[in-house]
Amino acid sequence: MRLRNARVFDGREVLPGRHDITTDRRRIAAVEPSGSPSEDAIDVDGMTVLPGLITSHLHPDFYRYELASNERPGKELPPGVMMAIGVRTCRVLLESGFTGYSGAGCAHDIDAQLKLAIAGDIVPGPRIRACGHHIGTTGDVNNRGPWWKAYRDPGIDLRGDGPDELRRLVREEIARGVETIKVFASAGHGIPGENRRTMSRVELATVVETAHERGAKVRAHVTDKAMILECIELGVDVIDHGDEVDDECIDAMVAARTFWVPSAVYLWSVLEVGYARHFGVTRELYEQVRHTLPIAHRAGVRILIGDDYSGVFRDLIADDPLDHQVGNYAREFAFYADIDGLSAADVLSWGTRNAGELLVDPPAKVGVVEPGALADLIVVDGDPLADLTLLARPDAALAAVIKDGSFVIDRLATRRPSSGASQAQPVSGTVEV
């Protein structure tokens, strides 16, 4: 495939002039200044080609959970229905221009099973880095229900105590296809309770060591500074939320190459609905995150796009930004670019280049437009660098979605009848890395 006459955002910056992008099977073969027209080229006529968008904190099954239900997440519906929600989420992601996601926790091995189904061309979907259950301990922030109502079959939460039990849980998760182990290192950011440790230091160290021994990464829900620093020191790969990140934390993340997912839209939502005190959120913490993000970006922290999409606020906030609906995931770009000190290109790199470094392991490369990278691309009718809200209006602006060098959504023919673009194709599955 050859896309010609494109404006290109390569995951870092906009390339000067117009360019042609040539793919060879699943990978990008060349990115060159535009040459002469040819019959086999698809002329995108100055539209913007950029890496397929990637969200890096996704719960694919968290859609019909209700705060008032008192159910434990993962138990609100039967497993088959939860999987159907995951299939729906995959469709919403593709239709929103997202060709990849890194999971942040799910019940019933849904990430790993979706990845298998997509690889087998059974259902269409994005590239997935599979997460699994939350790994916790007895009486931690996710295990505080009445002891006489304990359930035998887990939803999203598993628990164990001591290094040996936690080592076994981590190994079992990896054996079931999990590529990222999720732990809760503290409360806060929507989880009620004091910001106290939920695992001993030796338990947390065991989880990280065991995961890394078997090629998996570790991500931690953590909000208070002391536990953020401990997580970084022990080798946790992804800091989820990190509400109290400050200059010392930034220095530690840069040195350790730690990813940070601020997920500040959730903080905004909690404040909007007035649940701040119960949910461990304050206006001061929200402003702290907004103040810290430009500093962290300039320092070189690998910040990521992604938030707690769920629908729990759909009856409380008009046009709930965290509902799993087409276009919503990309609203984060404009949300963060509105912060003084951050540009559109800065924030776009969080959902492309940075996110690609988490999504796939070397030598694979994704999230950039350069030779050798996996050919996951989108074509946008307009300039998202001038107007990031275009990405949140895919029905109007998304002209094509390409994964592994093949169209999964193709509207180019209807937009440029004389371009030589191929006929529209239905969304279809493709092979995973």
Side-chain angles (χ1 to χ4, degrees), residues 296-375:
H297 177 83
R298 289 194 297 270
V301 175
R302 293 189 290 178
I303 305 171
L304 303 171
I305 288 291
D307 217 309
D308 278 306
Y309 294 91
S310 62
V312 295
F313 299 129
R314 67 170 61 99
D315 295 327
L316 302 172
I317 300 177
D319 192 24
D320 175 11
L322 290 179
D323 203 351
H324 281 285
Q325 304 298 336
V326 174
N328 274 5
Y329 307 124
R331 292 167 72 174
E332 284 185 66
F333 294 108
F335 176 84
Y336 288 116
D338 188 49
I339 298 172
D340 288 342
L342 291 174
S343 70
D346 293 338
V347 180
L348 266 180
S349 73
W350 301 356
T352 52
R353 180 192 59 178
N354 289 1
E357 292 176 359
L358 174 62
L359 181 62
V360 300
D361 295 322
K365 183 182 292 186
V366 72
V368 291
V369 183
E370 63 183 48
L374 292 164

Side-chain angles (χ1 to χ4, degrees), residues 49-69:
V49 175
L50 60 157
L53 306 175
I54 303 164
T55 184
S56 297
H57 185 111
L58 189 86
H59 305 286
D61 52 348
F62 199 24
Y63 175 58
R64 287 294 176 89
Y65 184 80
E66 297 178 359
L67 291 173
S69 69

Side-chain angles (χ1 to χ4, degrees), residues 250-274:
I250 289 170
D251 290 343
M253 285 192 286
V254 171
R257 297 285 288 159
T258 310
F259 295 99
W260 179 26
V261 190
S263 56
V265 181
Y266 187 86
L267 294 177
W268 176 88
S269 300
V270 171
L271 293 168
E272 184 75 5
V273 299

